[in-house]
């Protein structure tokens, strides 16, 4: 028997986080597997360990039943900014603390949204495949042409930390920047103005109609699920590029599939998909690489950021174990 608090970590996270757990002398158990635990495995393990702390990933579905399996549970800390995989009402009803990792991944995720945007616009994946298929016979005036990024109109849906970091980067490309959110964000507009970005708040319809590039940065909630469906892709320019680094279900996959098929929009670049993971033989993959660029949910995957996320998740967890306010409480942040 030990009176050290017990913590269950559903998969290996960077050492930077585990070191903090070690220093704090908690008894932590890391499930050393590549794939997430199924619900039964998770429940069984929680019953067996009865941990006070659970450190989970966005691939773990933490519902009331999972929470109840650990009778001594005080805190759930997720190694992600998104917490749509955690039943927050159930957590609140049980008085659990819930931590997440906002802020530290915003710049890295914004970098990646731009990587996808540029890839889709300038056809770099197609170019690479073209060379490797030995199809490159000569320089061609019309070979793999795409739209200009500089001078185009960028539409940012969701103007939180990540969306505004994406908008800030548009300064280097002389872009017109439109954004939409639940309300106007004058403070963020002011901050961006210092970088030479004149971000204009517009209604959703106007953003879809005017943007050359539409980039999504909303959390997944009942309100944002299916935000981009058939009416939205139809409203976009037929030359438009859609970029999604938020959550897969924010885009209706069938509607996007049809939009690419029928040329309602030019291209899409997705880091997140519905379903996720996306099987390689899913219907929508027939558009790869000409009209669709895919990535396996890696927008925050820089080495430094993943270390910062690990430390932040560990700190949230330790605060919860100590009965202290979490440095980054998802319960507070969703209010
Ligand atoms: C990544 O998608 C995250 O929520 O951290």
């Amino acid at each position: 028997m030990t009176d050290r608090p017990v913590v269950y970590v559903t998969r290996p996270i960077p050492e930077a986080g585990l070191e903090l757990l070690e220093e704090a002398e908690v008894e932590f158990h890391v499930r050393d597997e590549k794939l997430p635990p199924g619900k039964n495995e998770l429940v069984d393990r929680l019953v067996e360990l009865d941990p006070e702390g659970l450190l989970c990933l966005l691939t773990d579905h933490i519902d009331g039943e999972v929470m109840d399996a650990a009778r001594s549970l005080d805190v759930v800390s997720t190694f992600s900014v998104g917490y749509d995989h955690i039943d927050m009402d159930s957590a609140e009803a049980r008085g659990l603390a819930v931590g997440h990792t906002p802020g530290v991944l915003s710049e890295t995720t914004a970098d990646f949204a731009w990587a996808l945007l540029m890839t889709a616009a300038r056809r770099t994946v197609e170019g690479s495949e073209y060379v490797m298929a030995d199809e490159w016979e000569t320089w061609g005036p019309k070979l793999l042409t795409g739209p200009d990024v500089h001078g185009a109109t960028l539409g940012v849906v969701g103007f939180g930390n990540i969306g505004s970091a994406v908008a800030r980067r548009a300064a280097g490309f002389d872009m017109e920047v439109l954004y939409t959110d639940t309300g106007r964000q004058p403070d963020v507009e002011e901050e961006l103005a210092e970088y030479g970005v004149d971000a204009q708040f517009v209604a959703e319809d106007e953003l879809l109609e005017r943007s050359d590039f539409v980039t999504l940065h909303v959390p997944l909630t009942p309100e944002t699920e299916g935000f981009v469906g058939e009416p939205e892709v139809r409203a976009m320019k037929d030359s438009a590029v859609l970029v999604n680094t938020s959550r897969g279900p924010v885009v209706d996959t069938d509607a996007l599939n049809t939009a690419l098929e029928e040329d309602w929009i030019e291209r899409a670049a997705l880091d997140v998909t519905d379903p996720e993971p996306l099987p390689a033989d899913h219907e929508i993959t027939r558009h790869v690489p000409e009209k669709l660029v895919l990535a396996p949910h890696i927008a925050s995957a820089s080495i430094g950021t993943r270390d910062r996320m690990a430390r932040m998740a560990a700190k949230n967890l330790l605060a919860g174990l100590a009965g202290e306010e979490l440095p980054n409480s998802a319960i507070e942040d969703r209010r």
Side-chain angles (χ1 to χ4, degrees), residues 202-213:
V202 293
E204 216 172 281
D205 298 359
E206 187 177 340
L207 181 138
L208 295 172
E209 279 163 26
R210 287 178 54 194
S211 299
D212 298 304
F213 298 94

Side-chain angles (χ1 to χ4, degrees), residues 106 156-166 180-181 185 188 217:
S106 303
V156 183
V157 178
F159 219 45
N161 291 337
I162 301 173
S164 59
V166 170
T180 193
D181 205 313
Q185 315 272 337
V188 184
H217 303 287

Side-chain angles (χ1 to χ4, degrees), residues 38-56:
K39 175 147 174 186
N40 290 344
E41 182 193 335
L42 186 54
V43 164
D44 288 352
R45 193 72 178 122
L46 293 177
V47 167
E48 182 192 343
L49 281 175
D50 190 23
E52 283 93 345
L54 172 63
L55 201 157
C56 67

Side-chain angles (χ1 to χ4, degrees), residues 7-133:
V7 165
Y8 186 50
V9 185
T10 58
R11 265 191 289 163
I13 61 166
E15 284 303 316
L18 297 179
E19 277 163 14
L20 293 183
L21 300 185
E22 230 158 64
E23 277 164 27
E25 299 191 348
V26 299
E27 179 189 321
F28 63 94
H29 300 256
V30 181
R31 180 176 164 278
D32 191 13
E33 298 287 343
K34 183 173 173 208
L35 296 179
K39 175 147 174 186
N40 290 344
E41 182 193 335
L42 186 54
V43 164
D44 288 352
R45 193 72 178 122
L46 293 177
V47 167
E48 182 192 343
L49 281 175
D50 190 23
E52 283 93 345
L54 172 63
L55 201 157
C56 67
L57 308 186
L58 58 83
T59 44
D60 304 317
H61 297 283
I62 311 297
D63 59 15
E65 204 184 325
V66 169
M67 294 169 194
D68 289 340
R71 295 165 312 283
S72 305
L73 196 63
D74 291 322
V75 55
V76 177
S77 172
T78 183
F79 178 89
S80 60
V81 60
Y83 44 81
D84 48 280
H85 54 294
I86 300 173
D87 180 341
M88 297 294 287
D89 292 334
S90 295
E92 278 206 74
R94 286 160 179 75
L96 297 179
V98 180
H100 69 141
T101 63
V104 287
L105 48 71
S106 303
E107 299 297 329
T108 301
T109 303
D111 288 348
F112 196 77
W114 271 92
L116 286 182
L117 187 156
M118 298 292 282
T119 301
R122 300 305 309 275
R123 307 174 68 176
T124 54
V125 171
E126 267 180 278
S128 175
E129 292 196 6
Y130 184 81
V131 174
M132 294 316 291

